[in-house]
Amino acid sequence: MSNSRRLFLKGACVAAVGASGFTLVRAKEAGKNTSKPVYKYALVHDETKCIGCDACSIACREVNQVPEGVSRLEIKREGPFGEYPNQYFRFTRHSCQQCESTPCVDVCPTGAAYKDPDTGIVSVDEWKCVGCQYCIAACPYQIRFINPITKAADKCDFCKDTRLKEGKKPACVSACPTKALTFGDITDPDSQIVKVLKSAPSYRSKLDLGTRPKVFRIASQGGEVKL
Ligand code: SF4
Ligand code: SF4
Ligand code: SF4
């Protein structure tokens, strides 16, 4: 692993702008000192468009070199629901929720788990990680794991090292054949992700915990009442 990866996002400005138009860090105004993220990256999974094909998780594994036996992204299938011939499945995304309030970061004793102040992306510095697994225990979404190759904690980081720094969208987003995934900056009112979020009601997982996740979901079916 090169030093350039470790130092990623630490520079004053990453000017990479690819065909998809993503930049990691907007140029800061000279002398301006702000602790707020310059961008706030988020993801929408439109479950009404998801067909459970797993192209996203396969692309994630390949691009991020995720070993067999562990995964940064899974599509969970529930169902079938309803009666024939109107049966349907529900597909939900299981990955890091990119929380604003981060229990995983709070418990890390070495600073290996961190949230980047410029992008809001929660990530792991594998060189600082001692494998104590505190973050794994603290994550209420149970999406962290110890990478058997690096021996460090691992999880989805929106492909920040493997795709975003080249100006590309996360691998899952590019691979999805139905455009069920939208990625972007939710602080930009003109971004595609904000338009998608305004176009349909969405929900987030375990909001009551106060983690303020930045993975939004558009529900495939209406809610149900369970007694
Ligand atoms: S989903 Fe878990 S690992 Fe991801 S930011 Fe939230 S608490 Fe941390
Ligand atoms: S496993 Fe690594 S990232 Fe997680 S709390 Fe321990 S040192 Fe921090
Ligand atoms: S690639 Fe798209 S349609 Fe296929 S499982 Fe993933 S989100 Fe769903």
Side-chain angles (χ1 to χ4, degrees):
M1 196 62 57
S2 69
N3 275 344
S4 62
R5 176 172 173 178
R6 298 172 61 188
L7 295 173
F8 176 65
L9 292 181
K10 300 297 183 189
C13 173
V14 178
V17 183
S20 61
F22 284 108
T23 58
L24 275 177
V25 183
R26 191 176 293 155
K28 291 179 179 174
E29 294 171 36
K32 188 174 180 181
N33 186 13
T34 174
S35 60
K36 290 186 176 178
V38 181
Y39 282 173
K40 204 172 274 191
Y41 283 124
L43 186 85
V44 177
H45 181 214
D46 185 343
E47 296 169 2
T48 68
K49 292 182 178 175
C50 184
I51 57 175
C53 67
D54 267 340
C56 51
S57 53
I58 292 168
C60 169
R61 183 176 299 284
E62 191 169 313
V63 166
N64 296 301
Q65 299 178 359
V66 182
E68 292 298 324
V70 292
S71 61
R72 288 183 172 197
L73 165 60
E74 288 180 51
I75 299 294
K76 305 276 190 186
R77 187 173 87 160
E78 294 173 80
F81 300 106
E83 299 292 330
Y84 178 85
N86 297 314
Q87 287 179 307
Y88 62 91
F89 289 92
R90 182 181 177 212
F91 301 103
T92 50
R93 179 183 167 108
H94 186 70
S95 66
C96 176
Q97 302 298 295
Q98 293 294 339
C99 305
E100 272 293 279
S101 178
T102 49
C104 56
V105 173
D106 295 345
V107 299
C108 180
T110 68
Y114 69 99
K115 183 170 75 168
D116 183 79
D118 291 322
T119 63
I121 296 175
V122 181
S123 190
V124 179
D125 183 337
E126 67 182 48
W127 297 103
K128 289 183 180 176
C129 179
V130 295
C132 68
Q133 303 192 30
Y134 288 0
C135 59
I136 294 175
C139 171
Y141 300 94
Q142 299 179 312
I143 51 73
R144 283 181 170 251
F145 58 90
I146 295 294
N147 186 308
I149 305 296
T150 65
K151 311 298 183 193
D154 202 341
K155 64 172 198 68
C156 166
D157 60 3
F158 284 158
C159 294
K160 72 173 181 57
D161 292 334
T162 51
R163 300 271 300 178
L164 296 193
K165 72 178 179 181
E166 297 172 356
K168 297 174 181 171
K169 297 175 185 177
C172 57
V173 178
S174 294
C176 180
T178 66
K179 310 293 181 208
L181 297 167
T182 306
F183 172 80
D185 174 20
I186 50 172
T187 67
D188 176 0
D190 298 322
S191 64
Q192 185 62 23
I193 190 169
V194 169
K195 289 175 184 166
V196 169
L197 286 171
K198 284 182 175 175
S199 71
S202 60
Y203 72 100
R204 289 177 281 168
S205 179
K206 300 183 179 178
L207 262 186
D208 50 321
L209 298 179
T211 48
R212 296 158 63 205
K214 295 198 293 297
V215 172
F216 298 79
R217 304 149 189 273
I218 296 174
S220 59
Q221 296 290 328
E224 60 178 327
V225 177
K226 284 184 180 172
L227 299 176

